[in-house]
Amino acid sequence: MGLTEFGHFALISAFVLSLIQSVVPLIGTARHNMQLMLVGPAAAISAAVACVIAFGALVTSFIRSDFSVALVANHSHSAKPLIYKISGTWGNHEGSLLLWILILVIYGAVLAISGRTMPALLKARILAVQGMITSGFLAFSLFTSNPFTRLANAPIDGKGLNPILQDPGLAIHPPMLYLGYVGLSIAFAFAVAGLIGGDVDRLWAKWMRPWIMAAWCALTLGIALGSWWAYYELGWGGWWFWDPVENASLMPWLAATALLHSAIVVEKRGQLKSWTVLLAILAFSLSLVGTFIVRSGLLTSVHSFASDPARGVFILGILLVAVGIPLLLYAWRGPQLMSVADFNLKSREGALIANNMLLVVATAIVLLGTFYPLGLEMITGARITVGPPYFDATFNPVMGILVVIMVIGPVMAWRRGATPRAKTTLLAASVLAIIAGVIGVALLQDIAIGAVGAIMLIAWLAIGIATDIWTQLKPLQRGGLAARWHRLPTEVLGMWIAHFGIVVFLLGATGDVLFRSEQVVRAKPGEVVTIAGRDVTLVRVFERQGPNFQALTAELEYKDAASGKFIARLMPEKRVYTAERQTTTEAAIRPRLGGDDYAVLGDGDDRIGYSLRLYYKPLISWIWGGGALMAAGGLVAMIGRRRQSAVTAPLPNSVARDTA
Amino acid sequence: MSRFRPTFFIPLIAFLGLAIIGGLALQGTLSGSRNPNQLPSVLIGKPAPDVPLPLLQDSQAELALDAYRGQPLLVNFFASWCAPCRAEAPALEHLSNQISIIGIAYKDRPQDTQKFLQQYGNPFVAIGRDDDGRAGMAWGVYGVPETYLIDPSGQIKWRHAGPLTRDVITSQLMQKLAEMQ
């Protein structure tokens, strides 16, 4: 038996195991049979082991360039560097589906191993739901997208991987994004298990929240990586294009952000239970939609989707079952989760509800902007975009209001009213926001209203966070600084970091919009172009041979226009990948905290000159820095929770359970 | 137990509605019953809408479609922020040898439009600025890029939503043009 067949066998075993995992624990919960319930963790761990073997077998085929495997022959090439042979495993539909499944079962196994003190019934139900999702996707893989199909006649060499995907950023971007997408499946499993058992309470939320945070952190990083990749690889100098593929990852992120906040209310106050359940279902549904739209270029070409009827129908079937049944369950059992609101709208709860409403509206805006062109494309086959004007006019204002709430929420008190520090915080933030706005208008001529708004929001949020920190840690109160720091919940620290990440992100985005400069020129070797206080000399253009491509490279010398001091040498390229006969542009970037120099080489020859696109992008790297800070904040909150819950007793379940 | 609430069915009904639409679209595409690339326009056979637009090069002057009467004319809605428009640029450049093309910059900033034209070429005999999308509304554009064929009498004869590909040009546009002559 070859390695490939062994991998295939392991995948089939995983399918059988996850079927067991989805049925047996549920029977156990119905009969209160502990033995049957314990089958769940065992099956989940075994399925994970089987999937690791299957995935390992596929990766090995890619590393060995075993072209008798159809997938390897179609998506790899012997001349490719090792890292891209490995990342080629998930650079295609079948392989990325297997990676998706691998992450899914690993999450399941981690859940099975951890959470020993978790209520047994809840855990059994969650693992069962998790098993159902896994079996659905394993069936999808085995019956329509088998990665282990052999070729009767193995070709001498492979057809290669899309050269645009041969990039370190993209090698880690999909796994990171999948960690986020798939992590939401655990929140989804919590929601469905809660609906089955009717035991959505504070304890339920306490167990679910770390999973939401983990998924949210991974999703945040994944999106930031994708945006960074688009920035340096596509060579357009932009970092977000409102492309359907990007939107597909933004929608689950928005829903997960809402879920992250509403779950706080469930844990702290036992309120918003049915809403949180619905959000968890919505977030995972959107990540399902997101993965499948991106998968195998469904959005870029609807025809590849339609060309394989079995696959398209299967996807629709999975979506129908995975989303439809939980929503049916929600319609039936959801009303039982309702509780009488015991809070005033002017309260922490009220602010978090506002947060949720705004994020859901933002999700709907992105959904509409994404699917209206897709729907049109499905019907007519034509590709159009509604583009940034739509999103600028709708999405940005909604998110602007959200930033306003971000300062108000943390200084409100639970149930009703505000905390004593609210007055100082809100006053300081508003005064400085107005000052920032006035300075912005005074210094920058014909500044757009949106940009003034952005500047004011940045000041508002930055000062809001700073004052909040100050009022909670200032040395006038009793106890030393160290003592107050120690008393401070790590979750609050995480929130500050994540919210400050938004400030950094907004600074980057606004700096880029307000101060970027761009030059599109045709230049011959020896000519000088001036951009943003730099003299750029096109020294020469030459050809060079890469491992699996041929490149036309330009040598650009950057000097300070005033002092003539040497700054940098940038080498943008145009590459032709011989095996794939594809051309890519490799932008040359000199990233600095203050801003990036960005150069792209276009067509031309020595006689008529080469077309060059030069950009200076102030503060642009802050955009991704902000994303990383947000994820770091989530991580701090998550780790802090674990540490704190280890030293304190489990949360008393003071909220009475709704009885059926 | 029997606390039945209709509001809790809203997510399910909304989802089923979307799923049915998706299923129909999928089925239509699969069975080939839908004819791709044909988008109904109520304006076919009607005179081209007359929305005054400032010219890109000179915002004091107005784009006058009437000035091009007596010859077939293409009207192309485009924008610098639209990726398919970049893909379409070579096809337009090629077409501009055979027919006059009017460009309408849809919801774009003039300086961005200028840059776009510098970069991807300018196949247009004149360019109108539809900054707020009012002309787009009158023409009934679905999005950009979108192209209309106007006959010598000023009537809309054909429209295409999405980028003009070689296939669309040879199988549809050239036929319509031949019918006119």
PDB file of all heavy atoms in Angstrom, chain A residues 236 305-306 330-331 334-335 338 372 380 382-383 385-387 613, chain B residues 3 5 8 12 26 30 36-37 39 81 86 119 142 144 161 163:
ATOM      1  N   TRP A 236      -0.348  47.363  -6.486  1.00  0.00           N
ATOM      2  CA  TRP A 236      -1.212  48.508  -6.735  1.00  0.00           C
ATOM      3  C   TRP A 236      -1.066  49.562  -5.651  1.00  0.00           C
ATOM      4  O   TRP A 236      -1.705  50.602  -5.699  1.00  0.00           O
ATOM      5  CB  TRP A 236      -2.691  48.077  -6.817  1.00  0.00           C
ATOM      6  CG  TRP A 236      -2.986  47.224  -8.006  1.00  0.00           C
ATOM      7  CD1 TRP A 236      -2.171  47.049  -9.089  1.00  0.00           C
ATOM      8  CD2 TRP A 236      -4.138  46.421  -8.232  1.00  0.00           C
ATOM      9  NE1 TRP A 236      -2.760  46.190  -9.973  1.00  0.00           N
ATOM     10  CE2 TRP A 236      -3.971  45.778  -9.476  1.00  0.00           C
ATOM     11  CE3 TRP A 236      -5.306  46.192  -7.521  1.00  0.00           C
ATOM     12  CZ2 TRP A 236      -4.910  44.919 -10.014  1.00  0.00           C
ATOM     13  CZ3 TRP A 236      -6.251  45.331  -8.051  1.00  0.00           C
ATOM     14  CH2 TRP A 236      -6.043  44.703  -9.291  1.00  0.00           C
ATOM     15  N   PHE A 305     -17.063  26.986 -10.471  1.00  0.00           N
ATOM     16  CA  PHE A 305     -18.029  26.492  -9.490  1.00  0.00           C
ATOM     17  C   PHE A 305     -19.095  25.675 -10.203  1.00  0.00           C
ATOM     18  O   PHE A 305     -19.420  24.569  -9.815  1.00  0.00           O
ATOM     19  CB  PHE A 305     -18.652  27.705  -8.796  1.00  0.00           C
ATOM     20  CG  PHE A 305     -19.707  27.398  -7.785  1.00  0.00           C
ATOM     21  CD1 PHE A 305     -19.396  26.720  -6.627  1.00  0.00           C
ATOM     22  CD2 PHE A 305     -21.004  27.815  -7.989  1.00  0.00           C
ATOM     23  CE1 PHE A 305     -20.368  26.461  -5.676  1.00  0.00           C
ATOM     24  CE2 PHE A 305     -21.984  27.554  -7.046  1.00  0.00           C
ATOM     25  CZ  PHE A 305     -21.670  26.880  -5.888  1.00  0.00           C
ATOM     26  N   ALA A 306     -19.602  26.233 -11.291  1.00  0.00           N
ATOM     27  CA  ALA A 306     -20.702  25.585 -11.992  1.00  0.00           C
ATOM     28  C   ALA A 306     -20.212  24.396 -12.808  1.00  0.00           C
ATOM     29  O   ALA A 306     -20.984  23.497 -13.111  1.00  0.00           O
ATOM     30  CB  ALA A 306     -21.389  26.588 -12.892  1.00  0.00           C
ATOM     31  N   TYR A 330     -33.091  27.238  16.605  1.00  0.00           N
ATOM     32  CA  TYR A 330     -33.141  28.531  17.266  1.00  0.00           C
ATOM     33  C   TYR A 330     -34.580  29.048  17.309  1.00  0.00           C
ATOM     34  O   TYR A 330     -35.032  29.572  18.333  1.00  0.00           O
ATOM     35  CB  TYR A 330     -32.240  29.521  16.526  1.00  0.00           C
ATOM     36  CG  TYR A 330     -32.289  30.921  17.066  1.00  0.00           C
ATOM     37  CD1 TYR A 330     -31.584  31.253  18.219  1.00  0.00           C
ATOM     38  CD2 TYR A 330     -33.047  31.902  16.446  1.00  0.00           C
ATOM     39  CE1 TYR A 330     -31.635  32.533  18.729  1.00  0.00           C
ATOM     40  CE2 TYR A 330     -33.109  33.179  16.948  1.00  0.00           C
ATOM     41  CZ  TYR A 330     -32.409  33.493  18.086  1.00  0.00           C
ATOM     42  OH  TYR A 330     -32.463  34.755  18.596  1.00  0.00           O
ATOM     43  N   ALA A 331     -35.294  28.881  16.198  1.00  0.00           N
ATOM     44  CA  ALA A 331     -36.675  29.350  16.154  1.00  0.00           C
ATOM     45  C   ALA A 331     -37.528  28.606  17.184  1.00  0.00           C
ATOM     46  O   ALA A 331     -38.429  29.172  17.797  1.00  0.00           O
ATOM     47  CB  ALA A 331     -37.240  29.144  14.749  1.00  0.00           C
ATOM     48  N   GLY A 334     -35.059  28.960  20.922  1.00  0.00           N
ATOM     49  CA  GLY A 334     -34.553  30.285  21.266  1.00  0.00           C
ATOM     50  C   GLY A 334     -35.401  31.029  22.289  1.00  0.00           C
ATOM     51  O   GLY A 334     -34.851  31.604  23.240  1.00  0.00           O
ATOM     52  N   PRO A 335     -36.740  31.029  22.129  1.00  0.00           N
ATOM     53  CA  PRO A 335     -37.569  31.808  23.062  1.00  0.00           C
ATOM     54  C   PRO A 335     -37.339  31.426  24.520  1.00  0.00           C
ATOM     55  O   PRO A 335     -37.490  32.268  25.410  1.00  0.00           O
ATOM     56  CB  PRO A 335     -38.999  31.467  22.624  1.00  0.00           C
ATOM     57  CG  PRO A 335     -38.868  31.133  21.185  1.00  0.00           C
ATOM     58  CD  PRO A 335     -37.540  30.453  21.033  1.00  0.00           C
ATOM     59  N   MET A 338     -34.872  33.573  26.523  1.00  0.00           N
ATOM     60  CA  MET A 338     -35.109  34.986  26.767  1.00  0.00           C
ATOM     61  C   MET A 338     -35.149  35.253  28.262  1.00  0.00           C
ATOM     62  O   MET A 338     -35.621  34.441  29.047  1.00  0.00           O
ATOM     63  CB  MET A 338     -36.426  35.400  26.134  1.00  0.00           C
ATOM     64  CG  MET A 338     -36.338  35.424  24.621  1.00  0.00           C
ATOM     65  SD  MET A 338     -37.442  36.617  23.930  1.00  0.00           S
ATOM     66  CE  MET A 338     -38.949  36.107  24.647  1.00  0.00           C
ATOM     67  N   TYR A 372     -24.409  41.459  -4.124  1.00  0.00           N
ATOM     68  CA  TYR A 372     -25.150  42.044  -5.234  1.00  0.00           C
ATOM     69  C   TYR A 372     -24.378  41.856  -6.545  1.00  0.00           C
ATOM     70  O   TYR A 372     -24.931  41.319  -7.503  1.00  0.00           O
ATOM     71  CB  TYR A 372     -25.458  43.511  -4.931  1.00  0.00           C
ATOM     72  CG  TYR A 372     -25.745  44.362  -6.125  1.00  0.00           C
ATOM     73  CD1 TYR A 372     -26.955  44.233  -6.794  1.00  0.00           C
ATOM     74  CD2 TYR A 372     -24.822  45.273  -6.588  1.00  0.00           C
ATOM     75  CE1 TYR A 372     -27.210  45.009  -7.901  1.00  0.00           C
ATOM     76  CE2 TYR A 372     -25.076  46.044  -7.682  1.00  0.00           C
ATOM     77  CZ  TYR A 372     -26.269  45.916  -8.349  1.00  0.00           C
ATOM     78  OH  TYR A 372     -26.513  46.678  -9.446  1.00  0.00           O
ATOM     79  N   THR A 380     -25.658  36.673 -14.963  1.00  0.00           N
ATOM     80  CA  THR A 380     -25.280  37.150 -16.282  1.00  0.00           C
ATOM     81  C   THR A 380     -23.869  36.762 -16.691  1.00  0.00           C
ATOM     82  O   THR A 380     -23.517  36.879 -17.849  1.00  0.00           O
ATOM     83  CB  THR A 380     -25.334  38.689 -16.341  1.00  0.00           C
ATOM     84  OG1 THR A 380     -24.287  39.187 -15.501  1.00  0.00           O
ATOM     85  CG2 THR A 380     -26.657  39.202 -15.839  1.00  0.00           C
ATOM     86  N   ALA A 382     -21.331  38.408 -15.937  1.00  0.00           N
ATOM     87  CA  ALA A 382     -20.525  39.610 -16.068  1.00  0.00           C
ATOM     88  C   ALA A 382     -19.943  39.989 -14.726  1.00  0.00           C
ATOM     89  O   ALA A 382     -20.579  39.801 -13.697  1.00  0.00           O
ATOM     90  CB  ALA A 382     -21.383  40.756 -16.598  1.00  0.00           C
ATOM     91  N   ARG A 383     -18.753  40.508 -14.735  1.00  0.00           N
ATOM     92  CA  ARG A 383     -18.120  40.884 -13.474  1.00  0.00           C
ATOM     93  C   ARG A 383     -18.093  42.388 -13.319  1.00  0.00           C
ATOM     94  O   ARG A 383     -17.493  43.096 -14.107  1.00  0.00           O
ATOM     95  CB  ARG A 383     -16.698  40.332 -13.417  1.00  0.00           C
ATOM     96  CG  ARG A 383     -16.101  40.557 -12.069  1.00  0.00           C
ATOM     97  CD  ARG A 383     -15.058  39.559 -11.709  1.00  0.00           C
ATOM     98  NE  ARG A 383     -14.805  39.695 -10.280  1.00  0.00           N
ATOM     99  CZ  ARG A 383     -13.587  39.855  -9.766  1.00  0.00           C
ATOM    100  NH1 ARG A 383     -12.539  39.866 -10.534  1.00  0.00           N
ATOM    101  NH2 ARG A 383     -13.451  39.966  -8.478  1.00  0.00           N
ATOM    102  N   THR A 385     -18.189  45.795 -10.215  1.00  0.00           N
ATOM    103  CA  THR A 385     -17.951  46.087  -8.804  1.00  0.00           C
ATOM    104  C   THR A 385     -18.804  47.268  -8.376  1.00  0.00           C
ATOM    105  O   THR A 385     -19.037  48.182  -9.158  1.00  0.00           O
ATOM    106  CB  THR A 385     -16.481  46.467  -8.547  1.00  0.00           C
ATOM    107  OG1 THR A 385     -15.967  47.081  -9.720  1.00  0.00           O
ATOM    108  CG2 THR A 385     -15.641  45.287  -8.201  1.00  0.00           C
ATOM    109  N   VAL A 386     -19.277  47.237  -7.127  1.00  0.00           N
ATOM    110  CA  VAL A 386     -19.910  48.442  -6.613  1.00  0.00           C
ATOM    111  C   VAL A 386     -18.823  49.340  -6.040  1.00  0.00           C
ATOM    112  O   VAL A 386     -18.953  50.541  -6.041  1.00  0.00           O
ATOM    113  CB  VAL A 386     -21.005  48.169  -5.566  1.00  0.00           C
ATOM    114  CG1 VAL A 386     -22.188  47.509  -6.216  1.00  0.00           C
ATOM    115  CG2 VAL A 386     -20.488  47.360  -4.426  1.00  0.00           C
ATOM    116  N   GLY A 387     -17.750  48.732  -5.556  1.00  0.00           N
ATOM    117  CA  GLY A 387     -16.530  49.465  -5.271  1.00  0.00           C
ATOM    118  C   GLY A 387     -16.535  50.361  -4.050  1.00  0.00           C
ATOM    119  O   GLY A 387     -17.518  50.487  -3.338  1.00  0.00           O
ATOM    120  N   ARG A 613       5.938  53.242 -11.577  1.00  0.00           N
ATOM    121  CA  ARG A 613       4.986  53.808 -10.626  1.00  0.00           C
ATOM    122  C   ARG A 613       5.684  53.919  -9.289  1.00  0.00           C
ATOM    123  O   ARG A 613       6.141  52.921  -8.740  1.00  0.00           O
ATOM    124  CB  ARG A 613       3.739  52.942 -10.513  1.00  0.00           C
ATOM    125  CG  ARG A 613       2.608  53.436 -11.396  1.00  0.00           C
ATOM    126  CD  ARG A 613       1.380  52.606 -11.235  1.00  0.00           C
ATOM    127  NE  ARG A 613       1.644  51.225 -11.605  1.00  0.00           N
ATOM    128  CZ  ARG A 613       1.144  50.192 -10.935  1.00  0.00           C
ATOM    129  NH1 ARG A 613       0.398  50.394  -9.866  1.00  0.00           N
ATOM    130  NH2 ARG A 613       1.409  48.978 -11.326  1.00  0.00           N
TER     131      ARG A 613
ATOM    132  N   ARG B   3     -43.428  28.720  24.747  1.00  0.00           N
ATOM    133  CA  ARG B   3     -43.297  30.144  24.458  1.00  0.00           C
ATOM    134  C   ARG B   3     -42.903  30.325  23.000  1.00  0.00           C
ATOM    135  O   ARG B   3     -41.746  30.533  22.667  1.00  0.00           O
ATOM    136  CB  ARG B   3     -42.279  30.774  25.393  1.00  0.00           C
ATOM    137  CG  ARG B   3     -42.898  31.186  26.702  1.00  0.00           C
ATOM    138  CD  ARG B   3     -42.008  32.150  27.435  1.00  0.00           C
ATOM    139  NE  ARG B   3     -40.800  31.494  27.905  1.00  0.00           N
ATOM    140  CZ  ARG B   3     -39.746  32.152  28.369  1.00  0.00           C
ATOM    141  NH1 ARG B   3     -39.764  33.465  28.390  1.00  0.00           N
ATOM    142  NH2 ARG B   3     -38.696  31.516  28.789  1.00  0.00           N
ATOM    143  N   ARG B   5     -42.453  32.146  19.618  1.00  0.00           N
ATOM    144  CA  ARG B   5     -42.296  33.555  19.234  1.00  0.00           C
ATOM    145  C   ARG B   5     -41.983  33.674  17.755  1.00  0.00           C
ATOM    146  O   ARG B   5     -40.959  33.161  17.310  1.00  0.00           O
ATOM    147  CB  ARG B   5     -41.152  34.206  20.007  1.00  0.00           C
ATOM    148  CG  ARG B   5     -41.330  34.105  21.475  1.00  0.00           C
ATOM    149  CD  ARG B   5     -41.175  35.457  22.092  1.00  0.00           C
ATOM    150  NE  ARG B   5     -41.598  35.353  23.478  1.00  0.00           N
ATOM    151  CZ  ARG B   5     -41.982  36.397  24.190  1.00  0.00           C
ATOM    152  NH1 ARG B   5     -41.987  37.576  23.645  1.00  0.00           N
ATOM    153  NH2 ARG B   5     -42.340  36.248  25.440  1.00  0.00           N
ATOM    154  N   PHE B   8     -38.468  34.786  16.371  1.00  0.00           N
ATOM    155  CA  PHE B   8     -37.331  33.881  16.357  1.00  0.00           C
ATOM    156  C   PHE B   8     -37.240  33.086  15.043  1.00  0.00           C
ATOM    157  O   PHE B   8     -36.281  32.375  14.818  1.00  0.00           O
ATOM    158  CB  PHE B   8     -37.387  32.929  17.559  1.00  0.00           C
ATOM    159  CG  PHE B   8     -36.893  33.565  18.820  1.00  0.00           C
ATOM    160  CD1 PHE B   8     -37.652  34.504  19.501  1.00  0.00           C
ATOM    161  CD2 PHE B   8     -35.631  33.256  19.312  1.00  0.00           C
ATOM    162  CE1 PHE B   8     -37.186  35.100  20.653  1.00  0.00           C
ATOM    163  CE2 PHE B   8     -35.154  33.852  20.469  1.00  0.00           C
ATOM    164  CZ  PHE B   8     -35.934  34.776  21.138  1.00  0.00           C
ATOM    165  N   LEU B  12     -34.297  32.239  10.283  1.00  0.00           N
ATOM    166  CA  LEU B  12     -34.486  31.044   9.464  1.00  0.00           C
ATOM    167  C   LEU B  12     -35.110  31.404   8.121  1.00  0.00           C
ATOM    168  O   LEU B  12     -34.650  30.972   7.061  1.00  0.00           O
ATOM    169  CB  LEU B  12     -35.382  30.039  10.212  1.00  0.00           C
ATOM    170  CG  LEU B  12     -35.659  28.741   9.469  1.00  0.00           C
ATOM    171  CD1 LEU B  12     -34.389  27.931   9.340  1.00  0.00           C
ATOM    172  CD2 LEU B  12     -36.728  27.935  10.175  1.00  0.00           C
ATOM    173  N   LEU B  26     -27.864  28.784  -9.108  1.00  0.00           N
ATOM    174  CA  LEU B  26     -26.964  27.672  -9.388  1.00  0.00           C
ATOM    175  C   LEU B  26     -27.585  26.744 -10.413  1.00  0.00           C
ATOM    176  O   LEU B  26     -26.963  26.357 -11.397  1.00  0.00           O
ATOM    177  CB  LEU B  26     -26.671  26.921  -8.084  1.00  0.00           C
ATOM    178  CG  LEU B  26     -25.684  25.775  -8.173  1.00  0.00           C
ATOM    179  CD1 LEU B  26     -24.321  26.299  -8.543  1.00  0.00           C
ATOM    180  CD2 LEU B  26     -25.614  25.041  -6.840  1.00  0.00           C
ATOM    181  N   LEU B  30     -26.389  25.856 -14.117  1.00  0.00           N
ATOM    182  CA  LEU B  30     -26.031  24.475 -14.440  1.00  0.00           C
ATOM    183  C   LEU B  30     -26.780  23.983 -15.662  1.00  0.00           C
ATOM    184  O   LEU B  30     -26.207  23.380 -16.562  1.00  0.00           O
ATOM    185  CB  LEU B  30     -26.354  23.554 -13.252  1.00  0.00           C
ATOM    186  CG  LEU B  30     -25.469  23.680 -12.027  1.00  0.00           C
ATOM    187  CD1 LEU B  30     -25.881  22.682 -10.980  1.00  0.00           C
ATOM    188  CD2 LEU B  30     -24.021  23.469 -12.420  1.00  0.00           C
ATOM    189  N   PRO B  36     -26.343  33.657 -20.377  1.00  0.00           N
ATOM    190  CA  PRO B  36     -25.404  34.584 -19.754  1.00  0.00           C
ATOM    191  C   PRO B  36     -25.196  35.826 -20.616  1.00  0.00           C
ATOM    192  O   PRO B  36     -25.500  35.826 -21.807  1.00  0.00           O
ATOM    193  CB  PRO B  36     -24.114  33.781 -19.638  1.00  0.00           C
ATOM    194  CG  PRO B  36     -24.345  32.481 -20.279  1.00  0.00           C
ATOM    195  CD  PRO B  36     -25.719  32.439 -20.846  1.00  0.00           C
ATOM    196  N   ASN B  37     -24.686  36.843 -20.001  1.00  0.00           N
ATOM    197  CA  ASN B  37     -24.323  38.086 -20.679  1.00  0.00           C
ATOM    198  C   ASN B  37     -25.513  38.838 -21.246  1.00  0.00           C
ATOM    199  O   ASN B  37     -25.341  39.733 -22.055  1.00  0.00           O
ATOM    200  CB  ASN B  37     -23.320  37.842 -21.803  1.00  0.00           C
ATOM    201  CG  ASN B  37     -22.034  37.283 -21.248  1.00  0.00           C
ATOM    202  OD1 ASN B  37     -21.625  37.655 -20.154  1.00  0.00           O
ATOM    203  ND2 ASN B  37     -21.429  36.378 -21.962  1.00  0.00           N
ATOM    204  N   LEU B  39     -28.553  41.134 -20.012  1.00  0.00           N
ATOM    205  CA  LEU B  39     -29.139  41.800 -18.880  1.00  0.00           C
ATOM    206  C   LEU B  39     -30.209  42.704 -19.457  1.00  0.00           C
ATOM    207  O   LEU B  39     -29.930  43.492 -20.332  1.00  0.00           O
ATOM    208  CB  LEU B  39     -28.038  42.619 -18.209  1.00  0.00           C
ATOM    209  CG  LEU B  39     -28.132  42.859 -16.732  1.00  0.00           C
ATOM    210  CD1 LEU B  39     -28.316  41.564 -15.981  1.00  0.00           C
ATOM    211  CD2 LEU B  39     -26.862  43.538 -16.285  1.00  0.00           C
ATOM    212  N   TRP B  81     -11.330  53.092  -9.578  1.00  0.00           N
ATOM    213  CA  TRP B  81     -11.299  52.151  -8.469  1.00  0.00           C
ATOM    214  C   TRP B  81     -11.791  50.776  -8.869  1.00  0.00           C
ATOM    215  O   TRP B  81     -11.939  49.887  -8.016  1.00  0.00           O
ATOM    216  CB  TRP B  81     -12.134  52.674  -7.298  1.00  0.00           C
ATOM    217  CG  TRP B  81     -13.459  53.262  -7.673  1.00  0.00           C
ATOM    218  CD1 TRP B  81     -13.738  54.580  -7.845  1.00  0.00           C
ATOM    219  CD2 TRP B  81     -14.683  52.566  -7.923  1.00  0.00           C
ATOM    220  NE1 TRP B  81     -15.055  54.749  -8.184  1.00  0.00           N
ATOM    221  CE2 TRP B  81     -15.653  53.536  -8.248  1.00  0.00           C
ATOM    222  CE3 TRP B  81     -15.060  51.225  -7.919  1.00  0.00           C
ATOM    223  CZ2 TRP B  81     -16.973  53.208  -8.553  1.00  0.00           C
ATOM    224  CZ3 TRP B  81     -16.372  50.893  -8.229  1.00  0.00           C
ATOM    225  CH2 TRP B  81     -17.316  51.873  -8.549  1.00  0.00           C
ATOM    226  N   ARG B  86      -9.691  47.925 -15.524  1.00  0.00           N
ATOM    227  CA  ARG B  86      -8.295  47.825 -15.967  1.00  0.00           C
ATOM    228  C   ARG B  86      -8.157  46.709 -16.979  1.00  0.00           C
ATOM    229  O   ARG B  86      -7.472  46.838 -17.982  1.00  0.00           O
ATOM    230  CB  ARG B  86      -7.386  47.526 -14.786  1.00  0.00           C
ATOM    231  CG  ARG B  86      -7.434  48.611 -13.756  1.00  0.00           C
ATOM    232  CD  ARG B  86      -6.737  48.185 -12.492  1.00  0.00           C
ATOM    233  NE  ARG B  86      -7.250  49.028 -11.412  1.00  0.00           N
ATOM    234  CZ  ARG B  86      -6.635  49.249 -10.272  1.00  0.00           C
ATOM    235  NH1 ARG B  86      -5.486  48.679 -10.032  1.00  0.00           N
ATOM    236  NH2 ARG B  86      -7.169  50.020  -9.363  1.00  0.00           N
ATOM    237  N   GLN B 119      -2.306  55.695 -17.014  1.00  0.00           N
ATOM    238  CA  GLN B 119      -1.722  54.383 -16.805  1.00  0.00           C
ATOM    239  C   GLN B 119      -2.247  53.356 -17.798  1.00  0.00           C
ATOM    240  O   GLN B 119      -1.501  52.527 -18.296  1.00  0.00           O
ATOM    241  CB  GLN B 119      -2.079  53.937 -15.389  1.00  0.00           C
ATOM    242  CG  GLN B 119      -1.020  53.138 -14.734  1.00  0.00           C
ATOM    243  CD  GLN B 119      -1.392  52.927 -13.276  1.00  0.00           C
ATOM    244  OE1 GLN B 119      -1.946  53.796 -12.613  1.00  0.00           O
ATOM    245  NE2 GLN B 119      -1.098  51.769 -12.780  1.00  0.00           N
ATOM    246  N   TYR B 142     -25.761  48.968 -13.649  1.00  0.00           N
ATOM    247  CA  TYR B 142     -25.702  48.023 -12.541  1.00  0.00           C
ATOM    248  C   TYR B 142     -24.433  48.248 -11.732  1.00  0.00           C
ATOM    249  O   TYR B 142     -24.374  47.981 -10.549  1.00  0.00           O
ATOM    250  CB  TYR B 142     -25.677  46.591 -13.071  1.00  0.00           C
ATOM    251  CG  TYR B 142     -27.032  46.053 -13.410  1.00  0.00           C
ATOM    252  CD1 TYR B 142     -27.637  46.371 -14.609  1.00  0.00           C
ATOM    253  CD2 TYR B 142     -27.700  45.201 -12.534  1.00  0.00           C
ATOM    254  CE1 TYR B 142     -28.877  45.867 -14.929  1.00  0.00           C
ATOM    255  CE2 TYR B 142     -28.936  44.696 -12.846  1.00  0.00           C
ATOM    256  CZ  TYR B 142     -29.541  45.028 -14.044  1.00  0.00           C
ATOM    257  OH  TYR B 142     -30.762  44.530 -14.354  1.00  0.00           O
ATOM    258  N   VAL B 144     -19.835  49.256 -12.532  1.00  0.00           N
ATOM    259  CA  VAL B 144     -18.852  49.503 -13.581  1.00  0.00           C
ATOM    260  C   VAL B 144     -17.972  48.266 -13.751  1.00  0.00           C
ATOM    261  O   VAL B 144     -17.754  47.556 -12.771  1.00  0.00           O
ATOM    262  CB  VAL B 144     -17.978  50.735 -13.262  1.00  0.00           C
ATOM    263  CG1 VAL B 144     -18.710  51.985 -13.628  1.00  0.00           C
ATOM    264  CG2 VAL B 144     -17.548  50.736 -11.820  1.00  0.00           C
ATOM    265  N   ALA B 161     -23.226  44.741 -19.300  1.00  0.00           N
ATOM    266  CA  ALA B 161     -22.711  44.962 -17.945  1.00  0.00           C
ATOM    267  C   ALA B 161     -21.506  44.066 -17.744  1.00  0.00           C
ATOM    268  O   ALA B 161     -21.568  42.880 -18.043  1.00  0.00           O
ATOM    269  CB  ALA B 161     -23.785  44.642 -16.910  1.00  0.00           C
ATOM    270  N   PRO B 163     -16.975  43.731 -18.031  1.00  0.00           N
ATOM    271  CA  PRO B 163     -15.942  44.130 -18.982  1.00  0.00           C
ATOM    272  C   PRO B 163     -16.214  43.574 -20.381  1.00  0.00           C
ATOM    273  O   PRO B 163     -16.771  42.491 -20.533  1.00  0.00           O
ATOM    274  CB  PRO B 163     -14.660  43.530 -18.404  1.00  0.00           C
ATOM    275  CG  PRO B 163     -15.103  42.449 -17.490  1.00  0.00           C
ATOM    276  CD  PRO B 163     -16.458  42.832 -16.990  1.00  0.00           C
TER     277      PRO B 163
END
